[in-house]
Amino acid sequence: MLTGLTIAEAAAGLRAKKFTAEELCLAHLNAIEALNPRLNAYLTVSHSQALDQAKAADAALARGDAGPLAGIPLAIKDLFCTQGIRTTAASKILGPFVPPYESTVTANLLRDGAVFLGKTNLDEFAMGSSNMTSAYGPVENPWKRRQNPDAVLVPGGSSGGSAAAVSAQLAMGGTGTDTGGSIRQPASFCGIVGMKPTYGRCSRWGVVAFASSLDHPGPFARTVQDTAILLRSMSGYDAKDSTSADVPVPDFAAACGRGVRGLRIGIPREYRVDGMPAEIERLWQQGIVWLKDAGAEIVDVSLPHTRYGLAAYYVIAPAEASSNLARYDGVRFGLRTNGDDLRDLYERTRADGFGTEVKRRILIGTYVLSAGYYDAYYLRAQKVRALILRDFTDAFQNVDALLTPTAPSAAFGIDEKTDDPVTMYLNDVFTVNGNLAGIPGISVPAGLDTDGLPLGLQVLGKPFDEETVFAVGAEIERAAGFTALPTLRAGATQ
Ligand code: GLN
């Protein structure tokens, strides 16, 4: 099955002329046609553009000047602006928006020859952990519980569409964005690899903004090496993003084979949270044993401000979101609901265009930024953020990387956690601090729970040391030998 290949295998197969980019693209488009009506992972399938890109890749391969991603079919989170292709951020307010320009990250992927199959579903404006806040309906996780295969599970979020698509073999890899965990948590829920690089590594230009100081574009794929291949293409300095880092882009894939011998791996004791399922704790212990057996030294470390991370995140992220979302006024782009005067038009457009979770964040954000509350909430959260960064900086004096679980649970049912937003926010307990500190992190599938659902382990590293993160991630992947496949996938009999 062409759709079951890894990116590295497909790139080799294309060069060996075992199949063409057009055949690879068609295999994926057929798989999307068969499964997407159920999964709802893609909001837009860019059928004809994808075939044109595949044909161009075949021509480049024939000429011998093909880029590293020539002919590789990818799923693009519908938060990346794609020139001429509708970009919605899964919000009604951007429903009719067709960007006149291409985001830097997607432009970099196209430069290297990638084929874009379409735009994937997400939580509205990337606000959520389940994909259930999308204005275009939730995404179904292709994995099923062994005991109760009828229950519909969430793929995680916010980048749940890309994660479900890659897991179900409706794309070989994809893009996501991670503001508080939105690449790593859905990767864990869908049994694939998700990588959040260092802040500044991938340009944010042309990515619909949620919380600018926390937003990190990054890749999904089914192997660690494949995410490393994608990240290399996505990365690089961009003068159009004032926070883009002007640092060299290493060959991340080469780092995957480095091994972990001699590395010091920290185990943060504060990540042992109350109520965490025993099987997650067990998997974490297993990960420690794998790394030790491979020659790493395991070190107990303390990150004392960990427990304030979620609270700080849920002040800072809504504050930045409320400011970023002020631009959706019904005048410049997207939805417009006419009113009696300009103010009425603004109010009606925003009332009609934004969903409940987005409105909640705007209200929280404007509240914590308002005069009188700014010092008590926003400024205090920024101070906590500095302490969290200091915890990591101190820990990294002594260790090369940290190992933790990715999420406090496996994928949950679509109707299991919706009553109370705070329960949903707890999903991010292991991931948000990496965003507050801007450090790189990866989630690697490491095992199954008793229901047969995938669980990920997270590796966090020093700023701009993605190479060590990939090396440790690849060792976990090798030791785990994770080969389980989701119930719903391309080519599987339904
Ligand atoms: N779940 C978190 C939130 O709702 C993180 C989302 C993200 O990383 N985009 O804010």
Side-chain angles (χ1 to χ4, degrees):
M1 284 294 295
L2 290 181
T3 48
L5 299 175
T6 66
I7 291 173
E9 288 164 350
L14 286 166
R15 278 164 183 78
K17 303 206 176 354
K18 289 194 184 143
F19 44 83
T20 64
E22 196 178 343
E23 286 164 350
L24 195 58
C25 179
L26 277 170
H28 283 88
L29 290 171
N30 290 338
I32 292 170
E33 205 177 319
L35 266 185
N36 198 55
R38 172 159 183 183
L39 297 181
N40 199 26
Y42 286 90
L43 294 175
T44 304
V45 180
S46 42
H47 200 277
S48 62
Q49 290 97 332
L51 281 171
D52 287 346
Q53 289 163 349
K55 286 177 195 158
D58 279 329
L61 285 158
R63 286 195 308 268
D65 62 0
L69 293 178
I72 301 299
L74 300 179
I76 304 299
K77 186 179 188 178
D78 206 17
L79 203 62
F80 290 80
C81 286
T82 40
Q83 189 171 7
I85 298 173
R86 188 169 87 123
T87 300
T88 66
S91 180
K92 255 172 45 184
I93 212 156
L94 280 176
F97 177 55
V98 178
Y101 59 91
E102 191 74 33
S103 83
T104 298
V105 162
T106 48
N108 289 347
L109 289 167
L110 291 172
R111 173 204 64 208
D112 283 354
V115 171
F116 292 170
L117 297 164
K119 305 295 294 291
T120 54
N121 208 345
L122 62 147
D123 282 295
E124 185 177 359
F125 282 104
M127 296 174 189
S129 305
S130 65
N131 231 283
M132 287 167 61
T133 73
S134 167
Y136 304 100
V139 174
E140 179 170 344
N141 190 323
W143 290 79
K144 297 284 163 204
R145 286 188 182 129
R146 255 185 224 134
Q147 303 307 328
N148 177 11
D150 293 335
V152 175
L153 306 180
V154 303
S158 64
S159 318
S162 282
V166 172
S167 171
Q169 303 181 352
L170 308 186
M172 299 196 126
T175 64
T177 60
D178 191 316
T179 302
S182 279
I183 291 176
R184 292 160 289 160
Q185 183 254 20
S188 179
F189 279 20
C190 292
I192 62 168
V193 182
M195 175 9 134
K196 178 193 89 67
T198 310
Y199 187 76
R201 181 67 94 179
C202 287
S203 170
R204 290 180 295 104
W205 194 78
V207 181
V208 175
F210 164 10
S212 306
S213 77
L214 297 159
D215 294 344
H216 300 63
F220 286 107
R222 293 189 292 265
T223 68
V224 173
Q225 187 192 20
D226 282 0
T227 55
I229 292 169
L230 292 177
L231 183 62
R232 189 181 191 187
S233 288
M234 292 166 70
S235 298
Y237 175 67
D238 180 11
K240 291 187 285 214
D241 172 358
S242 60
T243 59
S244 175
D246 194 359
V247 293
V249 178
D251 180 355
F252 297 120
C256 294
R258 275 188 190 172
V260 298
R261 187 159 301 282
L263 289 183
R264 290 168 63 84
I265 308 290
I267 309 300
R269 60 180 91 111
E270 291 80 5
Y271 278 55
R272 201 154 277 122
V273 298
D274 289 345
M276 185 164 82
E279 24 193 9
I280 293 190
E281 171 71 34
R282 247 196 318 275
L283 188 74
W284 193 12
Q285 294 308 320
Q286 177 65 70
I288 293 172
V289 171
W290 286 330
L291 294 179
K292 207 192 266 177
D293 287 350
E297 188 184 338
I298 304 298
V299 185
D300 175 50
V301 300
S302 175
L303 301 168
H305 298 92
T306 297
R307 66 197 189 96
Y308 304 112
L310 266 185
Y313 172 84
Y314 278 100
V315 170
I316 296 169
E320 294 186 19
S322 70
S323 159
N324 275 325
L325 270 56
R327 74 191 68 174
Y328 303 106
D329 53 10
V331 175
R332 285 166 291 180
F333 33 63
L335 180 87
R336 172 179 305 169
T337 308
N338 281 317
D340 298 336
D341 52 30
L342 187 60
R343 193 189 169 101
D344 196 35
L345 176 147
Y346 290 158
E347 288 177 358
R348 284 174 193 264
T349 300
R350 290 168 67 84
D352 288 350
F354 291 136
T356 313
E357 183 61 27
V358 175
K359 285 177 184 157
R360 179 181 296 126
R361 307 265 179 133
I362 293 173
L363 287 173
I364 295 172
T366 41
Y367 179 83
V368 300
L369 288 176
S370 56
Y373 293 108
Y374 184 93
D375 289 358
Y377 295 107
Y378 183 69
L379 207 59
R380 205 167 175 83
Q382 291 290 20
K383 289 179 181 168
V384 171
R385 183 176 190 174
L387 292 172
I388 286 169
L389 174 60
R390 200 168 72 192
D391 282 358
F392 282 116
T393 310
D394 290 349
F396 285 129
Q397 300 289 320
N398 199 20
V399 297
D400 301 295
L402 300 164
L403 179 72
T404 79
T406 304
S409 74
F412 47 87
I414 219 149
D415 42 18
E416 284 169 11
K417 282 199 189 183
T418 40
D419 39 345
D420 157 27
V422 176
T423 315
M424 195 63 90
Y425 296 170
L426 292 176
N427 260 287
D428 308 322
V429 62
F430 299 136
T431 46
V432 284
N433 288 349
N435 297 76
L436 290 165
I439 57 174
I442 197 168
S443 177
V444 179
L448 298 174
D449 73 358
T450 45
D451 266 326
L453 297 180
L455 297 171
L457 286 175
Q458 172 177 242
V459 180
L460 296 168
K462 297 176 187 172
F464 297 105
D465 186 18
E466 284 85 357
E467 289 168 282
T468 301
V469 173
F470 280 121
V472 179
E475 183 54 43
I476 291 171
E477 178 179 59
R478 199 194 58 73
F482 186 91
T483 52
L485 290 169
T487 317
L488 305 175
R489 63 182 187 282
T493 19
Q494 310 305 289

